[in-house]
Amino acid sequence: MSELSESPSSAHLSERRVSGEKLFQGRFLEAWRDTVEMPDGCSATREYVVHPGAVVIVPLIETPEGLKLVLERQFRYPIGEAMIEFPAGKLDPGERIFDCGRRELLEETGYSAGEWARAGTMHPVISYSTEFIDIWFARGLTAGERALDEGEFLDVFLASPEELLALCRDGRVTDAKTMGCMLWLQNVLSGAWTLDWRSTERCDAEESKPPPRTGAHAAVRP
Amino acid sequence: MSELSESPSSAHLSERRVSGEKLFQGRFLEAWRDTVEMPDGCSATREYVVHPGAVVIVPLIETPEGLKLVLERQFRYPIGEAMIEFPAGKLDPGERIFDCGRRELLEETGYSAGEWARAGTMHPVISYSTEFIDIWFARGLTAGERALDEGEFLDVFLASPEELLALCRDGRVTDAKTMGCMLWLQNVLSGAWTLDWRSTERCDAEESKPPPRTGAHAAVRP
């Protein structure tokens, strides 16, 4: 049993790409099968979905009834249910992460934010997808018109942090990205974790490029 | 803007399956493309991975230095990094959820647990996979021999809840299932959420069947 404090070298765990073939290219999903060399020198195959990455937004809004969160309810076909989740969406080709977050918040909820804070990132499915989800908080919201994609149907509603937490506890919220955001929100609200808030203009000026591709995504599409 | 307290009817959001075709069958990944009828009567396609479901375990162990968690470091090829995560694994065909949790904990870490508590469930990727991850806590651990699958390389280590929380905050833990477990753990340790602990024998006796298939998984494989 190793200890956390030991050197985190991972040479004895790492896999090296030998070759790869595209398994299929759907309209939305793209999957690859790579042959890899394992730490013991043996070969194995790894199948995975290539994903451009995504952004999830935790939108905070001050109301006369206290702090509220902007949430969505959307039918999720693979699960077969209308699910409660924070606004989120995929990066368009060549899009910067901040632009994606700003665009998705506006398109799906109609809100624009005056200030943003990047909390961190999440990998929803590390065994079979390259997807990352960047986590951003937004505040200073101004309501406007939403502009859903064609064929996108979703409800927007407000809930307090306490209400959303209770939904997580009771199993009515099971979306992993929303639960990951709640871990962030709970620690931010308690003061245990801090956020670095910046104006929309400063976020826009500071981020210069789309994110670099990493992991298997970089290997199949350098 | 709707309110949380309003009726959660989702008829105006739901999609109905019209037909489906298997996009491909890999050694690990299986993907489908379904044609669906949207709420406005128009057609759309939905592409998704069919997944048998999984279990993640939060193993608690009392040590002279206080409460610790049993964690793993494993190279995750799609991400290209050795990642810190709670023990987890997929259901074998026909396997019950509890049996899967007990098996994965033993195989990957060598530990057997005297008591278990089911916390809830998580959906890691609601837009393109049927996967669910059941969340279980385990305590009363007894160390034994682990039995990794062929080609499985992973380190097992202990960390305190405070250490793991700091790793989440600092971006060194980005696995969404582990972050979802931390939301549970933090609220359990604070006393805000409670767990229903049962002996291993009782869990074994009470769960009679593998989980029913739900959502798109039930449609393609009734």
Side-chain angles (χ1 to χ4, degrees):
Chain A
M1 175 103 41
S2 62
E3 286 290 319
L4 183 59
S5 53
E6 283 180 16
S7 158
S9 162
S10 56
H12 63 295
L13 301 172
S14 294
E15 298 169 354
R16 191 181 62 82
R17 184 176 195 262
V18 177
S19 62
E21 53 170 333
K22 192 184 279 196
L23 274 178
F24 83 100
Q25 174 71 61
R27 290 171 211 167
F28 166 74
L29 284 183
E30 172 185 334
W32 285 71
R33 177 189 292 143
D34 287 6
T35 300
V36 303
E37 184 185 308
M38 292 190 296
D40 62 359
C42 292
S43 283
T45 55
R46 298 287 176 249
E47 296 176 355
Y48 57 94
V49 171
V50 168
H51 190 284
V55 180
V56 61
I57 305 111
V58 181
L60 309 177
I61 188 163
E62 288 293 347
T63 76
E65 293 78 38
L67 181 69
K68 301 273 187 174
L69 311 163
V70 182
L71 290 158
E72 299 177 355
R73 267 181 82 239
Q74 185 173 7
F75 189 82
R76 293 301 199 162
Y77 184 77
I79 313 301
E81 284 174 29
M83 303 192 71
I84 294 170
E85 52 188 299
F86 280 115
K90 278 193 303 181
L91 270 70
D92 283 337
E95 189 175 38
R96 302 184 307 171
I97 289 177
F98 173 67
D99 291 338
C100 174
R102 186 159 57 157
R103 176 178 58 73
E104 290 288 350
L105 180 63
L106 181 64
E107 287 177 0
E108 295 190 348
T109 73
Y111 281 106
S112 302
E115 287 186 293
W116 294 81
R118 180 177 183 273
T121 201
M122 211 171 349
H123 291 97
V125 51
I126 59 182
S127 56
Y128 62 91
S129 173
T130 67
E131 182 175 2
F132 69 85
I133 306 178
D134 231 45
I135 308 169
W136 287 70
F137 280 59
R139 69 183 182 188
L141 301 188
T142 311
E145 281 298 309
R146 61 182 193 164
L148 295 177
D149 289 339
E150 193 179 307
E152 198 170 32
F153 298 84
L154 58 87
D155 289 347
V156 176
F157 68 98
L158 301 183
S160 70
E162 298 72 28
E163 286 171 326
L164 185 58
L165 209 52
L167 293 173
C168 291
R169 180 196 61 202
D170 297 342
R172 288 180 57 199
V173 168
T174 59
D175 171 45
K177 72 175 177 300
T178 299
M179 293 172 70
C181 288
M182 279 310 288
L183 178 68
W184 267 96
L185 182 66
Q186 194 167 24
N187 284 289
V188 165
L189 293 180
S190 77
W193 298 2
T194 52
L195 292 173
D196 181 16
W197 288 99
R198 299 176 184 211
S199 70
T200 298
E201 294 69 29
R202 192 167 153 205
C203 290
D204 189 33
E206 284 181 348
E207 190 182 28
S208 61
K209 283 185 295 195
R213 295 192 173 108
T214 56
H217 196 175
V220 303
R221 198 158 317 131
Chain B
M1 174 106 40
S2 62
E3 286 290 319
L4 183 59
S5 53
E6 283 180 16
S7 158
S9 162
S10 55
H12 63 295
L13 300 172
S14 294
E15 298 168 355
R16 191 180 62 82
R17 184 177 195 261
V18 177
S19 62
E21 54 171 332
K22 193 183 278 196
L23 273 177
F24 82 101
Q25 174 70 62
R27 290 170 210 167
F28 165 73
L29 283 184
E30 172 187 333
W32 284 71
R33 177 190 293 144
D34 287 6
T35 300
V36 303
E37 184 185 309
M38 291 189 296
D40 61 0
C42 293
S43 283
T45 55
R46 298 286 176 250
E47 295 177 355
Y48 57 93
V49 170
V50 169
H51 190 284
V55 180
V56 62
I57 305 109
V58 180
L60 308 177
I61 189 163
E62 288 293 346
T63 76
E65 292 79 36
L67 181 68
K68 301 273 188 178
L69 311 164
V70 183
L71 290 158
E72 300 178 355
R73 265 181 84 238
Q74 185 173 7
F75 189 81
R76 293 302 198 163
Y77 184 76
I79 313 301
E81 284 174 28
M83 303 193 69
I84 295 171
E85 52 188 301
F86 281 114
K90 276 192 304 180
L91 270 70
D92 284 339
E95 189 174 38
R96 301 184 306 170
I97 289 178
F98 173 67
D99 290 339
C100 174
R102 186 158 58 157
R103 176 179 58 74
E104 290 288 349
L105 180 64
L106 180 65
E107 287 178 1
E108 295 190 349
T109 73
Y111 282 107
S112 302
E115 287 186 293
W116 294 82
R118 180 176 183 272
T121 201
M122 213 172 347
H123 291 98
V125 52
I126 59 181
S127 55
Y128 62 91
S129 173
T130 67
E131 182 175 2
F132 69 85
I133 307 177
D134 231 44
I135 309 168
W136 288 69
F137 280 60
R139 69 182 183 190
L141 300 188
T142 312
E145 281 299 309
R146 61 183 191 164
L148 295 177
D149 289 338
E150 193 178 308
E152 198 171 31
F153 298 85
L154 57 88
D155 289 347
V156 176
F157 67 98
L158 301 182
S160 69
E162 297 72 29
E163 286 171 325
L164 185 56
L165 209 52
L167 293 173
C168 291
R169 181 195 62 201
D170 297 342
R172 288 180 60 199
V173 168
T174 59
D175 171 45
K177 71 174 178 299
T178 299
M179 292 172 71
C181 289
M182 280 310 287
L183 179 67
W184 267 95
L185 181 65
Q186 194 168 23
N187 284 289
V188 165
L189 293 180
S190 77
W193 298 2
T194 53
L195 292 173
D196 181 17
W197 288 100
R198 300 175 183 211
S199 71
T200 298
E201 295 68 29
R202 193 168 152 205
C203 290
D204 189 33
E206 285 180 347
E207 188 182 30
S208 60
K209 285 186 295 194
R213 294 191 174 108
T214 55
H217 197 175
V220 303
R221 199 159 315 131

